Amino acid sequence: MPAASLAQSHDHCHRVMRTAARNFYYGMNLLPIPQRRGMFALYGFMRLIDDLADDGDAPAGDRVAALERCRADAHAAIAGGGVADHPIWPAFGDTVRRFTIPVKVFDDAIDGQLRDMRHTTYDTFADLYDYCYQVASTVGIASVHIWGFSDPAVPKRAEERGIAFQLTNILRDWREDAVRGRCYLPADELDRFAMSGWTPDLPPPARFGEFMAFQVARARDYYERSAPLEGLIGPAGRPTLRIMTDIYRRILDRIAAEPVAILTGRVRLSGLEKIRVMLRHAWRARFGGDSEKI
């Protein structure tokens, strides 16, 4: 298959984002065209490596090999070489070069997918932090390069915001992950709260509420640590970041208000609620100034 042209590649990434990530697609459309295309290309890459890792029809060894080929293709695309295997590569390479995104974040993201294939539990929060960095903070660091910044503190704040998002995801998805034989909550903390061996299909143990309060407090701490981020990135990216953060924080607030809700299904916002969040931040970006924090 011949390599896609740059225009065809950007169009492909646009379609992938519009189809597979409708929650954030409209928020991305608040960005100027160059940054919007960059975010679509970034999503295309992250979606590709996630799909390669989650291909349940392929043996683990084949999935590892596919991810390593993807790593080599990504490096070739960043270097400006022609890569014909997948239509994302021209847009991806152009985005990384245009916005000078550190190549390491993409290697780290692939390493996160490989790690997820090899580990179903995490002993300590330090272990879990490394995983969260690989699968979530890398996206944040790449994003702030697309949105623009000058303060050297921004990548660290983006790392922390990614940790906050992923900790929220872990609590939201606890039941679904348990069905897949996975637990992303630190084993030493489960032991501390007398929850070792418990799974979300069983009645909650005595210290379940206390354990959940501890987890929610830590996620909130990472939102607070990264709070300066909105004011430090380029103005064009602020509405998109605020939309994403508002949605995730509302999910975390719902889990905090009713922790047992995670035992019966995924805690989420309705489509209408997400639209309201998007419209509110789009309106404030257009008419309400740029200083408001979530």
Side-chain angles (χ1 to χ4, degrees):
M1 181 178 64
S5 70
L6 181 57
Q8 290 170 332
S9 183
H10 278 300
D11 287 345
H12 170 81
C13 294
H14 182 184
R15 288 193 299 273
V16 170
M17 184 87 193
R18 185 177 58 197
T19 302
R22 288 178 294 176
N23 288 350
F24 300 119
Y25 171 72
Y26 295 105
M28 298 299 178
N29 276 307
L30 297 175
L31 291 163
I33 290 174
Q35 286 92 343
R36 186 190 316 165
R37 286 178 173 170
M39 291 301 295
F40 292 164
L42 173 62
Y43 180 82
F45 172 82
M46 295 299 177
R47 181 76 187 192
L48 173 60
I49 63 173
D50 189 62
D51 288 347
L52 290 174
D54 286 344
D55 183 1
D57 295 331
D62 289 352
R63 285 180 281 152
V64 169
L67 284 166
E68 292 299 348
R69 286 195 301 272
C70 186
R71 188 196 305 271
D73 288 345
H75 281 257
I78 292 167
V83 180
D85 287 352
H86 199 283
I88 73 160
W89 295 124
F92 171 78
D94 177 70
T95 294
V96 177
R97 294 190 301 272
R98 179 186 299 265
F99 297 106
T100 59
I101 304 173
V103 177
K104 182 178 183 297
V105 301
F106 302 107
D107 285 326
D108 288 343
I110 291 172
D111 289 341
Q113 296 294 339
L114 292 168
R115 185 184 194 131
D116 204 31
M117 293 171 57
R118 295 164 177 157
H119 297 274
T120 57
T121 59
Y122 292 85
D123 291 337
T124 67
F125 180 66
D127 297 330
L128 180 63
Y129 187 101
D130 289 343
Y131 169 73
C132 292
Y133 168 83
Q134 289 173 323
V135 299
S137 295
T138 53
V139 181
I141 293 169
S143 296
V144 297
H145 280 81
I146 293 171
W147 296 334
F149 67 91
S150 58
D151 192 312
V154 165
K156 182 62 178 178
R157 301 289 84 81
E159 175 183 327
E160 292 164 344
R161 184 63 55 87
I163 300 297
F165 285 171
Q166 190 63 19
L167 293 178
T168 303
N169 282 339
I170 287 168
L171 294 176
R172 181 196 65 189
D173 298 341
W174 191 357
R175 183 173 179 272
E176 294 177 20
D177 290 331
V179 170
R180 298 167 56 225
R182 296 179 174 277
C183 181
Y184 293 95
L185 293 159
D188 63 343
E189 295 174 5
L190 289 165
D191 185 60
R192 188 193 321 163
F193 288 90
M195 296 198 31
S196 295
W198 176 80
T199 57
D201 59 329
L202 299 173
R207 299 186 68 186
F208 174 77
E210 186 182 354
F211 176 79
M212 290 296 292
F214 177 82
Q215 301 298 326
V216 167
R218 178 161 56 204
R220 284 177 168 163
D221 178 58
Y222 278 97
Y223 283 109
E224 293 307 315
R225 293 185 194 196
S226 60
L229 186 59
E230 281 84 358
L232 296 175
I233 61 171
R238 294 174 191 173
T240 298
L241 177 60
R242 288 170 177 163
I243 288 168
M244 296 170 67
T245 302
D246 200 347
I247 289 173
Y248 273 93
R249 291 201 73 159
R250 285 168 186 253
I251 291 170
L252 185 65
D253 288 345
R254 290 192 179 180
I255 293 171
E258 191 179 1
V260 294
I262 67 167
L263 306 183
T264 56
R266 174 180 283 202
V267 176
R268 66 180 77 205
L269 304 187
S270 69
L272 181 58
E273 288 173 306
K274 292 174 184 175
I275 290 171
R276 286 174 174 166
V277 168
M278 294 174 192
L279 290 176
R280 181 163 66 89
H281 286 289
W283 176 269
R284 290 179 175 177
R286 178 68 177 85
F287 300 108
D290 198 45
S291 61
E292 181 183 352
K293 302 295 188 294
I294 292 175

